[in-house]
Amino acid sequence: MFVDKAKIYIRSGKGGDGHVSFRRELFVPAGGPNGGDGGKGGDVIFVVDKGLNTLTDFRHIRKYTAGDGEPGGKNRCHGSDGADMIIKVPEGTIIKEAESGLVIADMSGDNERMVLLKGGRGGKGNQHYATPTMQAPKYAQPGQKAQELNLILELKVIADVGLVGFPNVGKSTFLARVTNAKPKIANYHFTTLSPNLGVVDLDGSDGFVIADIPGIIEGASEGVGLGHEFLRHIERTRVIIHIVDAAGVEGRDPINDIRMIQKELAAYNELLAGRPQVIAANKIDTLYEGENDDAIQLLKEEFEPEGMKVFPISAVSGKGVRELLYYVNNLLKEIGEEKITFEREYFPEQMEENLPFTVFKSEEEEDVYHVEGPRIERMLGYTNLESEKGFDFFQKFMKENGILDELEALGIQDGDTVKVYYHEFEYYK
């Protein structure tokens, strides 16, 4: 089954907690702290697997979790790092944040491996907190929390040329004629239920990849018919070939069909309307000689002034196909080799920076101020306020995030109390 969209949940590994222990050996009177560090949590890594061409696997497994880091041990033993979660996807997969729909990664081109979520740092053991004035620290740093995301995966096939046209105009027959692809061909609408790709080999040229996009009809950009499900696959193509039934076998008007498809492409993505387009007037083998000339002439008068070259072809007999392919190949060379990729819009590593917090003055208690929110909890989760370094980091965090400025704006004075909340823990300053 061809699946080109999936929703999954991912979570990196939590960092292991630092350990609190002391060296105790016979005849060693001054055994110091020797608590080991916690291990790092596992990363969530996406990798392109060129052997895949569908997102079917994600229909059955929707939750992907990396391993947590192990806590540190005594005698300065370091906890084991958590196992990474490797997720394999087909080339051309777009990874989006589920709620906002913003692009996190485009797994195509040179981007074949990406660490999407980093595992939490392991906490430091109490061996790191010994000072001349605190020789037996009884605390260690907790491991950093894991990160989690809900994702939308969308597969946008990698092809240089996209075939578009109404159902039953001969797109699959054309693809089978010019490539080694073996699409299903039958004389009824919506024979093709998924995009088919093939490689066009030309003498004296590198050739190109061509994709048959399932039938796009009027209203496809709004969800009508099957075309809406597959419009995304044409976004990467550099040239569009309109396949039309020049003979009007089913009573369709080829000029009206092209205009309608152009409208649907522009409604889905305005950039598509600006892509180079070529018209393949198919089924000329079913026309009489004079009738053939008239049908092709009408198409040329309508579209060639707009820069859209018209080629009369027969996908069944192969007549005119060679000329069309070489023209498209030259068009691709003029455009250049630059692949169409999607820019990154969402950065998971900045999630912590974007978390909210609240600063307010207590209504019940005089000269008491409160600081709370996810950003505060995230920071306190990996900060040990009992250590000198941890407290310095805490003060720097309060200043850099504008919390001190907000407290001053609320009228805080020397000697007032600030309550910082972390679950059931309260820190008083």
Side-chain angles (χ1 to χ4, degrees):
M1 173 184 285
F2 180 82
V3 178
D4 60 359
K5 192 171 184 179
K7 184 175 182 178
I8 64 171
Y9 164 86
I10 62 172
R11 183 184 74 84
S12 62
K14 175 188 176 298
D17 295 335
H19 188 71
V20 177
S21 62
F22 297 90
R23 181 183 177 190
R24 291 186 175 88
E25 297 180 38
L26 192 62
F27 309 119
V28 180
N34 68 351
D37 300 342
K40 175 185 174 296
D43 299 332
V44 177
I45 304 171
F46 279 80
V47 176
V48 170
D49 185 341
K50 295 189 177 181
L52 298 175
N53 56 14
T54 176
L55 299 175
T56 302
D57 292 345
F58 298 99
R59 289 174 60 89
H60 310 295
I61 304 175
R62 297 180 180 270
K63 185 176 181 180
Y64 297 84
T65 304
D68 294 335
E70 294 293 329
K74 61 183 180 179
N75 296 327
R76 302 190 178 187
C77 289
H78 195 291
S80 300
D81 293 340
D84 294 334
M85 170 56 68
I86 308 294
I87 303 176
K88 296 181 179 180
V89 295
E91 185 176 16
T93 301
I94 304 293
I95 304 171
K96 297 181 178 180
E97 196 276 323
E99 185 175 348
S100 65
L102 297 177
V103 175
I104 300 176
D106 181 352
M107 303 303 294
S108 64
D110 296 330
N111 188 29
E112 296 187 352
R113 186 180 188 276
M114 182 175 184
V115 179
L116 203 75
L117 291 183
K118 291 185 177 181
R121 295 191 303 269
K124 294 181 178 180
N126 69 332
Q127 60 173 311
H128 295 280
Y129 298 106
T131 66
T133 57
M134 176 64 72
Q135 298 182 14
K138 297 181 181 179
Y139 47 78
Q141 186 183 41
Q144 190 178 19
K145 288 185 177 180
Q147 292 182 314
E148 57 184 3
L149 273 178
N150 287 302
L151 302 177
I152 296 292
L153 305 182
E154 288 186 358
L155 177 59
K156 300 179 190 289
V157 297
I158 306 293
D160 301 302
V161 177
L163 300 180
V164 297
F166 274 74
N168 213 26
V169 296
K171 297 192 302 299
S172 296
T173 304
F174 178 83
L175 186 70
R177 161 66 63 177
V178 303
T179 73
N180 290 325
K182 301 186 183 302
K184 183 179 180 181
I185 300 172
N187 188 30
Y188 55 85
H189 288 185
F190 302 117
T191 308
T192 304
L193 298 177
S194 62
N196 292 306
L197 275 73
V199 179
V200 176
D201 292 319
L202 298 174
D203 294 336
S205 176
D206 295 333
F208 53 87
V209 179
I210 193 168
D212 169 16
I213 310 300
I216 300 171
I217 62 175
E218 185 176 11
S221 60
E222 299 174 358
V224 178
L226 296 178
H228 176 261
E229 296 296 323
F230 303 111
L231 273 167
R232 68 175 65 93
H233 295 293
I234 206 170
E235 290 186 73
R236 291 192 193 273
T237 58
R238 294 182 288 155
V239 173
I240 297 172
I241 298 179
H242 291 270
I243 305 287
V244 295
D245 178 4
V249 173
E250 297 187 358
R252 303 199 61 86
D253 179 359
I255 293 177
N256 185 59
D257 284 356
I258 293 172
R259 293 298 186 197
M260 200 172 293
I261 288 177
Q262 285 180 318
K263 179 182 176 182
E264 293 303 323
L265 294 177
Y268 178 75
N269 185 335
E270 290 185 2
L271 294 176
L272 292 177
R275 303 268 167 84
Q277 300 178 33
V278 181
I279 297 172
N282 194 23
K283 301 187 180 182
I284 61 170
D285 53 304
T286 63
L287 290 169
Y288 294 110
E289 187 173 344
E291 190 181 13
N292 182 0
D293 294 339
D294 292 340
I296 301 304
Q297 187 60 33
L298 287 173
L299 285 168
K300 287 184 176 181
E301 290 176 357
E302 179 73 19
F303 295 105
E304 289 197 343
E306 300 176 12
M308 297 171 62
K309 185 78 172 173
V310 178
F311 289 85
I313 70 164
S314 170
V316 173
S317 68
K319 184 178 180 180
V321 170
R322 179 182 175 86
E323 293 79 3
L324 169 62
L325 294 179
Y326 274 97
Y327 176 83
V328 170
N329 191 58
N330 290 333
L331 202 54
L332 290 169
K333 289 180 179 178
E334 293 176 9
I335 296 170
E337 292 296 327
E338 183 178 356
K339 301 295 183 181
I340 296 172
T341 57
F342 295 82
E343 295 295 328
R344 193 176 187 188
E345 302 169 325
Y346 188 92
F347 298 83
E349 60 268 23
Q350 295 179 0
M351 286 193 299
E352 183 175 330
E353 299 176 10
N354 297 327
L355 291 174
F357 64 88
T358 304
V359 180
F360 61 94
K361 187 174 183 179
S362 176
E363 296 181 357
E364 293 81 15
E365 302 173 275
E366 187 176 357
D367 300 329
V368 174
Y369 297 80
H370 298 264
V371 179
E372 60 186 40
R375 191 186 305 186
I376 307 300
E377 293 195 6
R378 179 67 64 88
M379 181 273 299
L380 291 176
Y382 57 81
T383 304
N384 190 337
L385 298 179
E386 299 299 327
S387 71
E388 184 177 347
K389 289 183 179 179
F391 189 74
D392 288 342
F393 174 81
F394 170 70
Q395 289 185 313
K396 184 179 179 181
F397 175 88
M398 297 277 281
K399 181 178 181 180
E400 290 182 348
N401 285 271
I403 297 173
L404 295 182
D405 292 337
E406 291 197 29
L407 288 170
E408 291 176 0
L410 291 172
I412 193 170
Q413 301 293 326
D414 289 341
D416 291 347
T417 299
V418 178
K419 291 186 177 182
V420 182
Y421 290 89
Y422 172 52
H423 298 300
E424 297 180 357
F425 167 81
E426 291 185 18
Y427 176 74
Y428 296 88
K429 177 180 181 296

